[in-house]
Amino acid sequence: MQSILIRLKEDFQLSIITLVGLCSLIGITPYIVFRLLEGNLWVGLVDAFLVVSTGLAVLYAWRTGDTVRPGQFLALIYSAGAVLVSIKLGVNGLFWFYTLILFNFFVVPPLQSAVATVASLIVVCTYGYLNPGLVFESHYQMTSFAVTCLIASLFASVFAYRGRRQREQLIELATLDPLTRAGNRRAMDAELDIAMADYQRHKTAYGLLVLDLDLFKEVNDAHGHKAGDKVLTEFTRIVKLSCRQSDRLFRMGGEEFVLLLPMVDRTGLEQAASHIRGTVAEQLQTPDGPVTVSIGGCMLHQHGNSDEWMHEADQCLYKAKELGRNRYIISPKG
């Protein structure tokens, strides 16, 4: 139960999809019974399809962690369901459109929500216009319905966009170093734990490099912290350009960084360390000359946890420093 609450707290989209599933089960199920008892088999089957499909989408989201495709699927079937129920029930079915608007703008991006909502609205209004009296009692009522839906969609889209943007900013604050835009310590710990689990479950190869700028304190002392910050940001840029897209760079603090390399063997890890060391020495400059980097690394093998893995790489870094800096040492283990 505790793990369920943690996932709901940390994953907003999953919590919304789960809430939709509960609301669907509690809110629509009585209508299924009512429609069937009333003899309205067609609408009852549509409602039942919506409930079952929602349950399957929620289950898929929980099992895979993917909330994008379930959200898009639910937006599609709910839009189609709202159209079919409105056509079948007329005015009594139109009220579901306002629920649909809120739902769409919460579970999928604003543009996709707008397309699904407006397309559904066009279909209902077109059908109502071509079949007077079946959906709307008058053209005036149809116009009022369309205008109010569009206004509600506008407000919902603004709110959804602002909410989505604020969540993205919060995620950045929680996972990125504000100066270098590399991952921070929290993001690193999470990624290392994922790598450990991936290795233990699937034996996926991972390498780890610990990078430390040589004599960085002298840069700060000679040119000030502003110059030091510029060196750090330029170093981050150089390392990222020297890596694969799948590699993840994190700032541990100060001038120390960690690079996580998935799907690499020991030879590949040595090549990466050599390339980074050489590129940094060649491109990272201050008024007093080049800035170099010392690197320690190791492959993930029979480590008990990520701290042991990090410690082994740190020991290699210390040896590189002791042997004169501007060099790399990779652990022979693994």
Side-chain angles (χ1 to χ4, degrees):
M1 186 63 182
Q2 184 71 17
S3 60
I4 293 176
L5 294 176
I6 291 174
R7 285 193 67 182
L8 290 174
K9 182 178 179 181
E10 294 181 349
D11 193 330
F12 176 78
Q13 290 300 117
L14 181 61
S15 65
I16 288 296
I17 290 177
T18 303
L19 179 61
V20 168
L22 291 174
C23 291
S24 173
L25 179 64
I26 297 172
I28 301 180
T29 301
Y31 280 94
I32 299 175
V33 177
F34 175 75
R35 303 300 181 199
L36 295 178
L37 292 177
E38 196 180 41
N40 200 336
L41 179 62
W42 194 86
V43 176
L45 291 177
V46 170
D47 288 341
F49 174 76
L50 292 177
V51 172
V52 173
S53 298
T54 302
L56 293 175
V58 172
L59 180 62
Y60 176 87
W62 273 93
R63 296 195 64 176
T64 65
D66 177 12
T67 57
V68 175
R69 280 179 286 188
Q72 293 172 335
F73 171 72
L74 290 178
L76 177 63
I77 65 169
Y78 273 50
S79 297
V83 170
L84 294 175
V85 170
S86 297
I87 290 175
K88 187 65 177 179
L89 299 181
V91 174
N92 291 330
L94 295 176
F95 295 107
W96 288 104
F97 251 88
Y98 298 100
T99 303
L100 172 70
I101 291 170
L102 293 176
F103 170 76
N104 280 352
F105 281 100
F106 267 105
V107 298
V108 292
L111 181 59
Q112 296 179 19
S113 305
V115 171
T117 303
V118 172
S120 303
L121 186 61
I122 290 174
V123 172
V124 168
C125 290
T126 301
Y127 182 88
Y129 180 81
L130 297 176
N131 299 273
L134 292 184
V135 179
F136 303 99
E137 295 178 358
S138 66
H139 291 320
Y140 175 79
Q141 186 185 69
M142 182 183 71
T143 303
S144 299
F145 171 73
V147 170
T148 54
C149 281
L150 290 174
I151 293 174
S153 298
L154 176 62
F155 282 111
S157 65
V158 171
F159 180 80
Y161 174 80
R162 289 291 300 273
R164 187 177 292 268
R165 181 61 186 142
Q166 288 173 348
R167 289 194 300 276
E168 291 172 353
Q169 291 173 339
L170 288 174
I171 291 173
E172 288 185 4
L173 289 173
T175 60
L176 294 183
D177 175 61
L179 174 63
T180 63
R181 310 300 290 173
N184 61 14
R185 181 63 181 266
R186 176 183 294 183
M188 184 193 74
D189 290 341
E191 290 286 346
L192 292 184
D193 288 341
I194 292 172
M196 291 288 298
D198 196 22
Y199 173 79
Q200 293 169 0
R201 194 171 301 170
H202 306 294
K203 298 302 178 183
T204 304
Y206 283 90
L208 190 70
L209 296 178
V210 181
L211 309 95
D212 190 271
L213 290 172
D214 298 324
L215 304 175
F216 181 73
K217 185 176 182 298
E218 295 183 2
V219 176
N220 279 333
D221 292 342
H223 305 286
H225 289 285
K226 187 174 182 180
D229 289 348
K230 184 177 180 181
V231 168
L232 291 173
T233 54
E234 183 65 11
F235 172 76
T236 302
R237 185 190 68 82
I238 292 171
V239 173
K240 285 184 175 180
L241 289 176
S242 303
C243 297
R244 305 169 300 174
Q245 286 189 341
S246 58
D247 299 338
R248 294 292 310 276
L249 181 65
F250 308 95
R251 185 184 179 191
M252 282 276 287
E255 68 274 21
E256 189 172 2
F257 293 77
V258 171
L259 184 65
L260 176 64
L261 301 91
M263 302 296 293
V264 67
D265 57 16
R266 191 179 185 281
T267 299
L269 189 63
E270 287 187 348
Q271 292 174 345
S274 176
H275 180 58
I276 292 171
R277 186 211 61 78
T279 305
V280 169
E282 179 182 338
Q283 298 183 13
L284 191 57
Q285 300 287 327
T286 69
D288 295 332
V291 178
T292 60
V293 62
S294 297
I295 304 172
C298 70
M299 293 295 298
L300 176 58
H301 47 95
Q302 300 302 320
H303 298 100
N305 52 54
S306 58
D307 289 337
E308 292 181 7
W309 187 18
M310 180 69 71
H311 178 72
E312 186 175 336
D314 273 332
Q315 293 299 111
C316 293
L317 173 64
Y318 296 149
K319 291 180 183 178
K321 291 283 189 181
E322 290 174 356
L323 292 174
R325 304 185 180 89
N326 189 24
R327 65 189 65 226
Y328 67 89
I329 293 181
I330 305 299
S331 172
K333 301 177 182 178

